[in-house]
Amino acid sequence: GDPYRRQLAQNASIIKSHDFGRTWSRPVGENYQHPMFPGRRFATPYFVEYGRHRADVDNAGHYVYAISNNGFWDCGDDMVLGRVLRSKIASLNGADWEFFTGGDGMRPSVWSRKPGDAKPVVYQPLALGMTGAVYLPAQRRYLMIAWYYPAGGGKMKDAATHTVWDFYEAPRLWGPWTKIGSHDWSPQGYYSPEICPKFQTENHVFVFTAGNWNNPDVYRLTVVPLELSA
């Protein structure tokens, strides 16, 4: 039903494992019948990564943060920010989460229990496929790679052969987020790029991605090194 033939997402839940991935909870039926985040406003949550030795910034010692677009796998329109206390994340209860409504994110008053109250931290229609953000302690900045298909949604004819990555950085998790560069991938169509929180140096990070699913030469896990500059 989307005019741009984007792939819709809705009714997200988080699951957990106590035995290193052998078993998981909540069960599938419960997630379908009672999703943690009903609807599309927080349907693609990606945890904000701080690495193994968590940086003590933006209350990351007390909260787990996640960022989500407005309910699309590809070519979403905006990004909002949610958080949950680290002491409560294992409860897997959507009611424990809060959503950023604008202003100084260190103030409790700018967080709401209602996903519909969330205000975008990034707004770029048709150019924000589902993705996440990583904190770079050496730069004291957050880095996020947004991606999209210029042809429209990935279901458009030959859309999968061409993607654009937009690079965003921010001094605080709630912004301001600034686009600092872009890169076209054609004919590879690399999509869903994720910055690895490990193996970072002051000048380099690594990105995991995959490419055009119609082409076996690029439809596989691919690692892209990025050189960072001041």
Side-chain angles (χ1 to χ4, degrees):
D2 180 72
Y4 303 101
R5 301 192 68 191
R6 295 175 289 184
Q7 184 172 315
L8 306 181
Q10 61 185 0
N11 300 334
S13 292
I14 297 169
I15 60 176
K16 67 180 179 182
S17 174
H18 288 294
D19 53 14
F20 300 98
R22 293 182 180 87
T23 60
W24 293 84
S25 59
R26 303 178 310 168
V28 171
E30 186 176 354
N31 289 325
Y32 274 117
Q33 297 300 322
H34 305 286
M36 286 179 59
F37 308 112
R40 294 176 52 198
R41 178 58 279 180
F42 206 66
T44 63
Y46 275 59
F47 292 122
V48 178
E49 296 281 2
Y50 289 89
R52 183 176 182 180
H53 302 291
R54 187 168 60 246
D56 187 18
V57 294
D58 296 339
N59 271 335
H62 298 285
Y63 291 95
V64 174
Y65 293 98
I67 197 165
S68 172
N69 73 11
N70 56 322
F72 296 97
W73 171 71
D74 52 353
C75 303
D77 303 307
D78 62 36
M79 289 287 183
V80 297
L81 183 64
R83 73 178 187 180
V84 65
L85 284 168
R86 290 185 174 273
S87 59
K88 291 187 176 183
I89 187 172
S91 299
L92 302 182
N93 184 352
D96 291 332
W97 282 71
E98 301 175 310
F99 303 91
F100 178 66
T101 63
D104 181 359
M106 297 297 287
R107 297 172 51 205
S109 61
V110 304
W111 296 89
S112 170
R113 297 285 183 181
K114 300 177 182 178
D117 290 342
K119 296 294 189 297
V121 293
V122 181
Y123 178 73
Q124 195 68 37
L126 301 175
L128 292 166
M130 55 192 264
T131 193
V134 168
Y135 184 71
L136 307 178
Q139 284 78 20
R140 298 194 218 180
R141 288 288 190 275
Y142 293 90
L143 181 63
M144 179 175 67
I145 305 176
W147 69 280
Y148 64 96
Y149 293 107
K155 298 176 184 178
M156 292 286 196
K157 179 176 171 53
D158 297 327
T161 65
H162 182 195
T163 53
V164 174
W165 291 7
D166 287 336
F167 299 89
Y168 288 86
E169 68 94 23
R172 308 299 298 272
L173 185 51
W174 33 87
W177 286 90
T178 303
K179 186 165 75 171
I180 56 174
S182 296
H183 187 82
D184 280 61
W185 293 102
S186 181
Q188 302 96 332
Y190 288 129
Y191 63 89
S192 295
E194 289 308 311
I195 304 161
C196 182
K198 293 184 70 174
F199 315 119
Q200 295 182 17
T201 70
E202 186 173 348
N203 304 112
H204 291 87
V205 296
F206 295 91
V207 179
F208 295 149
T209 186
N212 176 5
W213 53 87
N214 300 304
N215 183 345
D217 290 335
V218 293
Y219 187 38
R220 60 189 180 188
L221 178 65
T222 300
V223 179
V224 179
L226 294 184
E227 183 176 344
L228 306 176
S229 58

